[in-house]
Amino acid sequence: MVRLLKKAKVKKNNLSQLYQLKLAWSNFLERKWRNLLIALATSIGFVGILISFGLGNAIIKMIDEETGNGQLPAQIQVMINSEVNPGGVINQEDKAFIEKIVGIDKIKYLELPFSTMATQLKLADKGELDLSTTLPNYAQIVSLYQDSGISVSSNTKEQVLAGALYQDAKEEGLTIPETLLNDFNKANKTQLTAKEVIGQEVSLTLIENTSQGSKSSQIQTKIIRVLKDEMADSNSYMSRTQLSQVLSSNGFSKTTPYMIFELKDPAQTNRVIDKLKTYKKYTVLSQQQILGVIVNFIKVIQGLLVVLSSQALLVSMVMIGVIIYINIMQRSKEIGVMKAVGYLNQNIKRIFIYESLLITGISLMLAFLVSLGIGSLANLLVKRFYPEIEQVFLLDAKSVLIMCLLALVMGVLSAYFPTRKISQLDPVGSLRYE
């Protein structure tokens, strides 16, 4: 440091920025192994934050891609509030009330799906599947919308594995999810594919529980469509016309658990939801709201992980501050010389601030390398075992910028309090310091 001071160019008692950086680098190199160990320890906190950002970014991006960047249909689902009326169903009075509150002229479409429950399925001479004990989601047969133009899995090319798209509201046949087919194959030790079951005759045992007891009936139909069921939570479906005939011919009740509608102006969706929620009788949901809750939840978890990782950075800041303070005390005589020849306190302080920034800068670079390595490995492993998931780790420009700013602030704050000692040092006393 003294050797560099002799070569320093002084103008009006002001040390140039270049020489401030050179002196800081010289100080860093004199204790390079100690400083590198501090940088390595600091990088642990940075790695935790980077991984939190990477995981959150990847999940949110995956959700955006699956939902067309959040552009979901502005559908609103209304159910009877179970706390007010357990087991309540939607009736025509509820339909008329909702139309009045929302305004029938503002509604693009309104549908009232209904359903029944199947307890057994027989597929021609291939075998049978008992649904009575587990009652999986696909045991519930739900009516398709009367308006076949409304986007549902049954008329979406990406979701239909086999069979024609749902376009005829009066079609006859059963739409099943892939999970049902897989469970049937396991139960009967068969290997039927989605295409092979299209057109196959199927016998269903339907059941309805009433206050007078249970009643059941058997119906015959055919499989006309198989849907993807990645989450294993899909129902089975029939056209509204056919399912209505099945229920009425067997003396079953036509219960409507919910109604679903969409507004002509999607921008009014949240306002209408808030308005309907003032009526305690109803529970109101929308796909956009649910998506918003999921994304916000991910961001909260991401924030909590960042906070937990930040604790390591606070410890690192204290360590860097202690190191800078020790450096200042060890260089008291050199600081005294600099003060004696007229260097400003702020110039001397910057030397140690730059040294602190060097430590945090190196630690950030190490953290980037480690995080990218872990993230890349995670992406490869997930892609191998779950090909439908593109990536689980993604660092975007915003995350990188935040980390750079965090390292900058951390470096400055770490050196701020120790460098205040420089202003208190007396040049004469510092020259005698041993």
Side-chain angles (χ1 to χ4, degrees):
M1 183 171 175
V2 174
R3 181 173 56 82
L4 286 172
L5 277 172
K6 292 178 181 178
K7 297 180 180 179
K9 296 180 180 179
V10 183
K11 185 177 181 180
K12 294 183 180 180
N13 296 329
N14 189 28
L15 190 63
S16 68
Q17 292 286 342
L18 177 61
Y19 268 87
Q20 289 174 31
L21 288 169
K22 286 184 177 180
L23 289 169
W25 179 244
S26 175
N27 288 350
F28 180 87
L29 290 179
E30 285 184 25
R31 301 286 189 275
K32 57 180 179 292
W33 296 117
R34 181 189 66 186
N35 291 335
L36 287 173
L37 283 174
I38 295 296
L40 182 62
T42 304
S43 69
I44 296 173
F46 283 137
V47 167
I49 295 176
L50 285 168
I51 290 177
S52 301
F53 278 144
L55 291 174
N57 293 341
I59 295 172
I60 291 173
K61 182 185 177 184
M62 183 169 59
I63 292 173
D64 284 342
E65 289 176 348
E66 291 294 325
T67 60
N69 293 320
Q71 298 303 311
L72 291 172
Q75 294 175 340
I76 301 173
Q77 182 175 311
V78 181
M79 300 173 289
I80 299 298
N81 188 342
S82 59
E83 295 181 359
V84 176
N85 184 8
V89 295
I90 296 289
N91 54 36
Q92 289 300 318
E93 290 182 3
D94 294 311
K95 178 178 179 290
F97 179 77
I98 297 298
E99 288 177 336
K100 180 181 177 181
I101 294 298
V102 178
I104 194 168
D105 59 317
K106 296 179 181 178
I107 297 176
K108 183 178 179 181
Y109 64 81
L110 188 149
E111 295 276 346
L112 286 84
F114 50 92
S115 64
T116 188
M117 188 67 69
T119 58
Q120 192 174 44
L121 178 148
K122 292 182 180 180
L123 183 58
D125 58 348
K126 309 297 182 185
E128 61 183 56
L129 180 62
D130 183 17
L131 311 176
S132 60
T133 54
T134 58
L135 287 179
N137 290 323
Y138 55 71
Q140 187 172 28
I141 303 172
V142 182
S143 64
L144 290 166
Y145 296 153
Q146 188 71 22
D147 183 354
S148 60
I150 300 171
S151 179
V152 291
S153 56
S154 296
N155 60 17
T156 306
K157 291 181 179 179
E158 292 77 12
Q159 293 298 115
V160 177
L161 280 175
L165 298 181
Y166 171 59
Q167 295 176 334
D168 181 7
K170 295 182 179 181
E171 69 176 19
E172 292 191 359
L174 179 68
T175 298
I176 65 169
E178 187 179 13
T179 304
L180 189 158
L181 179 58
N182 292 337
D183 289 350
F184 181 89
N185 282 330
K186 288 179 183 177
N188 296 279
K189 297 181 180 180
T190 54
Q191 295 182 341
L192 296 173
T193 64
K195 290 184 178 179
E196 288 174 342
V197 298
I198 298 299
Q200 293 277 350
E201 293 294 326
V202 62
S203 175
L204 296 169
T205 301
L206 305 182
I207 189 171
E208 181 179 68
N209 296 313
T210 66
S211 57
Q212 288 76 35
S214 298
K215 53 184 176 181
S216 63
S217 180
Q218 277 200 334
I219 66 165
Q220 302 290 327
T221 186
K222 60 182 179 180
I223 296 175
I224 59 172
R225 190 178 297 111
V226 181
L227 305 177
K228 287 183 181 179
D229 189 21
E230 295 171 354
M231 302 300 292
D233 61 353
S234 293
N235 299 123
S236 299
Y237 301 95
M238 276 187 185
S239 70
R240 185 183 182 89
T241 302
Q242 183 185 11
L243 189 56
S244 181
Q245 291 173 349
V246 166
L247 296 179
S248 60
S249 63
N250 289 281
F252 284 8
S253 303
K254 187 177 176 181
T255 57
T256 304
Y258 65 91
M259 73 167 64
I260 192 163
F261 66 93
E262 185 174 343
L263 300 174
K264 293 177 181 177
D265 182 9
Q268 297 296 315
T269 300
N270 289 332
R271 184 189 65 80
V272 169
I273 290 173
D274 292 337
K275 188 175 181 179
L276 290 174
K277 281 184 175 179
T278 60
Y279 299 93
K280 301 301 181 183
K281 180 182 179 181
Y282 303 109
T283 298
V284 188
L285 300 171
S286 77
Q287 291 173 291
Q288 290 180 340
Q289 271 199 334
I290 294 171
L291 178 63
V293 169
I294 293 171
V295 171
N296 288 335
F297 180 75
I298 292 169
K299 289 180 178 179
V300 168
I301 297 299
Q302 188 182 40
L304 289 174
L305 291 174
V306 169
V307 170
L308 291 174
S309 299
S310 297
Q311 295 179 21
L313 292 183
L314 290 175
V315 175
S316 298
M317 285 178 65
V318 174
M319 288 194 299
I320 294 172
V322 170
I323 292 302
I324 297 300
Y325 183 81
I326 293 173
N327 287 350
I328 291 171
M329 298 309 297
Q330 288 177 340
R331 289 177 169 78
S332 293
K333 184 177 291 187
E334 296 170 12
I335 292 171
V337 172
M338 295 174 73
K339 283 192 166 190
V341 298
Y343 288 119
L344 300 176
N345 282 331
Q346 63 183 17
N347 292 152
I348 303 172
K349 287 180 180 180
R350 285 199 199 108
I351 295 171
F352 295 96
I353 290 174
Y354 289 152
E355 184 178 357
S356 175
L357 288 172
L358 280 170
I359 295 173
T360 55
I362 291 172
S363 67
L364 183 59
M365 285 190 289
L366 289 172
F368 275 128
L369 291 174
V370 173
S371 301
L372 289 172
I374 294 173
S376 298
L377 180 61
N379 286 337
L380 287 173
L381 290 174
V382 170
K383 185 68 175 177
R384 179 177 179 180
F385 294 103
Y386 303 96
E388 67 277 5
I389 300 177
E390 288 295 326
Q391 55 186 176
V392 292
F393 182 86
L394 172 66
L395 280 181
D396 56 11
K398 182 180 178 182
S399 300
V400 173
L401 179 60
I402 289 173
M403 293 305 299
C404 290
L405 290 174
L406 179 61
L408 177 63
V409 171
M410 182 178 167
V412 173
L413 288 179
S414 298
Y416 175 74
F417 291 102
T419 54
R420 294 178 64 182
K421 179 68 176 177
I422 292 172
S423 301
Q424 301 169 5
L425 289 177
D426 176 60
V428 177
S430 298
L431 290 171
R432 291 197 299 265
Y433 182 83
E434 294 295 337

